[in-house]
Amino acid sequence: MSVWEKIEELEKQIDKFKSLSVEEHIEVDEVIVILKEKINDLHKNLTSWDRTRMARHIDRPKFLDYVPKLFNYFQEIGGDRKFKNDNAIICGLASLDKRKVVVIGQEKGKDTSDKIYRNFGMSHPEGYWKTIRVMKLAEKFGLPLLLFVDTPGAYPGIGAEERGQLVAIAENLYELSGIRIPIIVTILGEGGSGGALALGVGDRLLMMENAIYSVISPEGCAAILWRDASKAEQAANALKISAFDLKEFGIIHEIIQEPGGGAHKDFNAAADKLKKSIKNSLNKLVKVPIDELLDQRYNMLRKFGVFKEK
Amino acid sequence: MTAWLKKSILKKKEPDNQWIKCPDCAEILYKNLLIDNINVCTRCGHHFRLSPDGWLGYLVNRGTFKEINENIQSVDPLDFSDAKERYVDKLNRSMKKTGMKSAIITGVGKIGKQKACLGIMNFAFLGGSMGSVLGEKVARLFEHAIELSLPVILISASGGARMHEGIYSLLQMAKTSAAIRKHSEAGQLYISIMTDPTTGGVSASFSALGDIMIGEPGALIGFAGPRVIEQTIKQKLPPKFQTAEFLYDHGMLDMIVNRKELKSILIELLTFFG
Ligand SMILES: [Zn+2]
């Protein structure tokens, strides 16, 4: 049984006791306190692998679920003006309460046919060309940029290589590092490798509590370093990919707390918290003169890394 | 085993090590002659990998190269161990084997009459994988070039990310790209040379951001590894897929240059933009 199943089991027991107390007038407060403590303990001890499973949970809210919760206006805009529209990345013009913003998000899809339509959130180069076009549009009109990351990675395929996946990702990094508008990045679920980083450069990095962010998928790492893809759990924990790990490393600025059992358990609460954090960050960022903001962004990027120098 | 016996065994083995078989034309090549030919097969032109020393000896005027940031070394930020060994042990082994402290050597030297900042990667050091040190040395190289108003020439050879450094490894892609942007905004030239192999995080960051991008003949260049692609799409890959020639045909490279002509091309480019 996974930790998440154990937590679910305990939550069911709490519900049972609660209904017992109503129906049979039995005193259950003490039992519920104990059960809640157990849940808290389980939460505290969640490993990177547990978070990975939650980040990929079938019921986990996706980018398009967040859109109506975060924005009172949203108009999708599509196309890279070169080859085709990539459905794994969605761009749009939006209002965050009264503030106009430009939004770019990775979408994995809901049911099977939608997942196929979204290519499971794995972009081709045209997706990354689209994001460059749209971020330049945002820059032209001085609109803040909100990026939302949720992808297993950039798509590894023949067409993707033919059309220059490597150049497309590199150019995104290049553009984001110097684009003259405030950028907020939120990692919603899976932050998989270079395909995630291509939308992962900004002035503030937020991460949902059960999201992960990794240089390689745990399975990929296990296949290479353990020569056994089933060692993914070990690899995930060794790679230290949870929001708490990344906060400790000083890489992300803020963890957005999720309801017990994950964001899907009380999606409204999770989305509310995220909206509040984005608005807070944005209110601060728009006050910083743009040249100062770019200096701060550069210094932040330059500090990524640990090494020694004698 | 006595020292004498050890020596005689080593001696016996030596002659075999003097020869190498060309993977393209199967010719048995004498190593010293191959080195004289900057590791290009004398029969078919196959490009073997070249060490940083080999590159410096070939490209840079004798006695003009000054290395910078040579004392930056990797640490083990995640306390990482895989199935076989600890990351620190792996690092120590690679340092001993290659005599280098990282997978790249950076510095300033003269090519012909032109001064340039140079970065040369070493595939022999943990597959040229990108960790914090590689990213830092590349970023500092571009910053140094901005200070000195110099072009940068960077020769890549990398299998991708240094997984052992986790997220720090991934973020080097963003760090190096940001430094390149500064260098570009300062109006300086960047020539990227991709050798066999240039894949993964290196290919999708600083290697792919040259004003001029050059591939070596036959070099494997791509973002995703061929095996990963094959497993994903469950089909055989077309011949020549992800070679320098394939990238050139698809518009990703400016030119494919035979190593023996590279020096004169670089001098021409440096002169043209200089
Ligand atoms: Zn040959």
Side-chain angles (χ1 to χ4, degrees), chain A residues 240 298 302 304 308-309, chain B residues 73 78 140 143 175:
Chain A
K240 301 196 168 78
Y298 187 72
R302 278 298 280 112
F304 286 150
K308 67 179 171 192
E309 190 172 12
Chain B
Q73 273 186 57
L78 307 185
R140 286 195 196 179
E143 286 169 342
K175 180 162 104 182

Side-chain angles (χ1 to χ4, degrees), chain A residues 161-163 166 170 174-175 177-178 197 215 226 238-240 249 251 298 301-302 304-309, chain B residues 72-73 75 78 83 132 136 140 143 161 163 166-168 170 172 175 181 184 204 222-224 242 246 250:
Chain A
E161 296 292 319
E162 283 175 340
R163 300 193 291 280
L166 72 180
Y174 183 92
E175 293 298 340
S177 75
L197 181 69
V215 64
W226 277 261
L239 285 167
K240 301 196 168 78
F249 298 155
I251 286 164
Y298 187 72
L301 293 170
R302 278 298 280 112
F304 286 150
V306 185
F307 51 86
K308 67 179 171 192
E309 190 172 12
Chain B
I72 307 181
Q73 273 186 57
V75 294
L78 307 185
S132 294
E136 184 66 20
R140 286 195 196 179
E143 286 169 342
M163 284 171 285
I167 194 69
Y168 291 111
L170 182 70
Q172 303 313 309
K175 180 162 104 182
R181 185 177 175 126
S184 185
F223 176 62
Q242 292 186 314
F246 171 93
H250 286 95

Side-chain angles (χ1 to χ4, degrees), chain A residues 47-54 56 218-219 232-233 236-237:
Chain A
T47 63
S48 274
W49 179 243
D50 297 326
R51 306 279 183 193
T52 304
R53 297 187 59 160
M54 183 49 71
R56 296 168 173 172
E219 290 78 6
E233 177 168 3
N237 296 335

Side-chain angles (χ1 to χ4, degrees), chain B residues 8-20 30:
Chain B
S8 75
I9 288 171
L10 281 176
K11 245 188 200 156
K12 251 191 190 163
K13 275 193 175 163
E14 245 171 25
D16 302 334
N17 293 339
Q18 300 287 326
W19 301 91
I20 188 164
Y30 187 51

Side-chain angles (χ1 to χ4, degrees), chain B residues 196-207:
Chain B
D196 184 70
T198 299
T199 59
V202 165
S203 80
S205 61
F206 62 83
S207 289

Side-chain angles (χ1 to χ4, degrees), chain A:
Chain A
M1 205 195 291
S2 80
V3 190
W4 297 108
E5 286 161 339
K6 277 183 204 160
I7 290 171
E8 209 152 297
E9 197 60 39
L10 289 165
E11 274 167 350
K12 271 185 201 153
Q13 282 184 33
I14 290 175
D15 288 343
K16 219 186 272 167
F17 279 112
K18 275 183 182 164
S19 61
L20 266 179
S21 96
V22 175
E23 287 159 20
E24 317 275 337
H25 302 286
I26 301 168
E27 192 51 56
V28 294
D29 289 358
E30 260 179 56
V31 187
I32 288 178
V33 167
I34 291 168
L35 288 173
K36 280 192 171 165
E37 258 171 34
K38 272 191 181 173
I39 291 177
N40 277 339
D41 283 346
L42 286 172
H43 266 126
K44 258 183 235 154
N45 296 321
L46 286 171
T47 63
S48 274
W49 179 243
D50 297 326
R51 306 279 183 193
T52 304
R53 297 187 59 160
M54 183 49 71
R56 296 168 173 172
H57 196 286
I58 187 156
D59 296 328
R60 189 160 180 84
K62 308 291 191 300
F63 170 65
L64 279 179
D65 297 317
Y66 281 97
V67 165
K69 302 275 179 197
L70 299 177
F71 309 114
N72 42 319
Y73 167 77
F74 184 83
Q75 174 59 54
E76 186 177 348
I77 53 173
D80 64 347
R81 308 288 194 265
K82 288 167 194 255
F83 181 69
K84 74 187 286 196
N85 187 41
D86 191 320
N87 295 309
I89 291 185
I90 294 165
C91 302
L93 314 171
S95 294
L96 180 69
D97 291 337
K98 282 181 188 156
R99 196 185 296 283
K100 288 185 230 166
V101 292
V102 171
V103 175
I104 301 175
Q106 291 168 323
E107 174 60 46
K108 285 178 169 177
K110 289 298 235 188
D111 54 37
T112 306
S113 68
D114 190 35
K115 279 178 183 156
I116 291 165
Y117 177 66
R118 299 289 175 196
N119 200 32
F120 301 86
M122 294 185 283
S123 279
H124 286 76
E126 43 273 23
Y128 298 113
W129 296 129
K130 172 164 74 173
T131 59
I132 289 180
R133 178 182 81 79
V134 170
M135 65 181 81
K136 288 198 164 166
L137 179 71
E139 186 184 41
K140 177 174 171 181
F141 291 95
L143 299 169
L145 186 62
L146 305 183
L147 303 174
F148 296 89
V149 174
D150 190 12
T151 180
Y155 186 66
I158 292 175
E161 296 292 319
E162 283 175 340
R163 300 193 291 280
Q165 192 76 286
L166 72 180
V167 183
I169 291 173
E171 300 250 343
N172 259 258
L173 301 173
Y174 183 92
E175 293 298 340
L176 284 171
S177 75
I179 204 146
R180 298 177 65 80
I181 41 172
I183 310 168
I184 297 174
V185 179
T186 306
I187 300 165
L188 293 175
E190 249 184 305
S193 190
L197 181 69
L199 294 185
V201 176
D203 302 298
R204 294 282 293 181
L205 267 60
L206 318 179
M207 203 163 161
M208 298 301 292
E209 182 184 344
N210 292 310
I212 55 164
Y213 194 12
S214 181
V215 64
I216 185 170
S217 72
E219 290 78 6
C221 180
I224 297 168
L225 292 184
W226 277 261
R227 303 210 171 272
D228 180 359
S230 71
K231 295 281 196 297
E233 177 168 3
Q234 256 171 284
N237 296 335
L239 285 167
K240 301 196 168 78
I241 57 181
S242 78
F244 295 89
D245 292 322
L246 269 78
K247 185 78 173 48
E248 204 183 304
F249 298 155
I251 286 164
I252 60 163
H253 296 94
E254 194 180 335
I255 298 172
I256 315 297
Q257 203 194 340
E258 292 183 28
H264 61 286
K265 290 287 178 187
D266 186 354
F267 180 45
N268 284 329
D272 275 354
K273 281 214 166 101
L274 177 59
K275 184 173 176 177
K276 242 178 231 155
S277 287
I278 290 176
K279 281 182 73 175
N280 271 340
S281 288
L282 208 48
N283 287 337
K284 283 178 204 152
L285 289 179
V286 293
K287 286 189 193 118
V288 184
I290 192 69
D291 286 321
E292 205 178 311
L293 193 70
L294 285 175
D295 282 348
Q296 285 173 17
R297 192 185 303 163
Y298 187 72
N299 291 334
M300 182 184 85
L301 293 170
R302 278 298 280 112
K303 279 190 191 117
F304 286 150
V306 185
F307 51 86
K308 67 179 171 192
E309 190 172 12
K310 63 160 198 208

Side-chain angles (χ1 to χ4, degrees), chain B residues 22-27 29 41-46 48:
Chain B
C22 174
D24 270 0
C25 71
E27 178 88 344
L29 301 159
C41 173
T42 45
R43 180 154 175 235
C44 75
H46 172 84
F48 289 85

Side-chain angles (χ1 to χ4, degrees), chain B residues 51-77:
Chain B
S51 70
D53 281 346
W55 278 113
L56 285 176
Y58 168 45
L59 291 179
V60 181
N61 301 354
R62 190 186 284 250
T64 64
F65 185 73
K66 281 208 180 69
E67 192 178 355
I68 55 168
N69 299 310
E70 65 270 36
N71 288 322
I72 307 181
Q73 273 186 57
S74 296
V75 294
D76 180 12

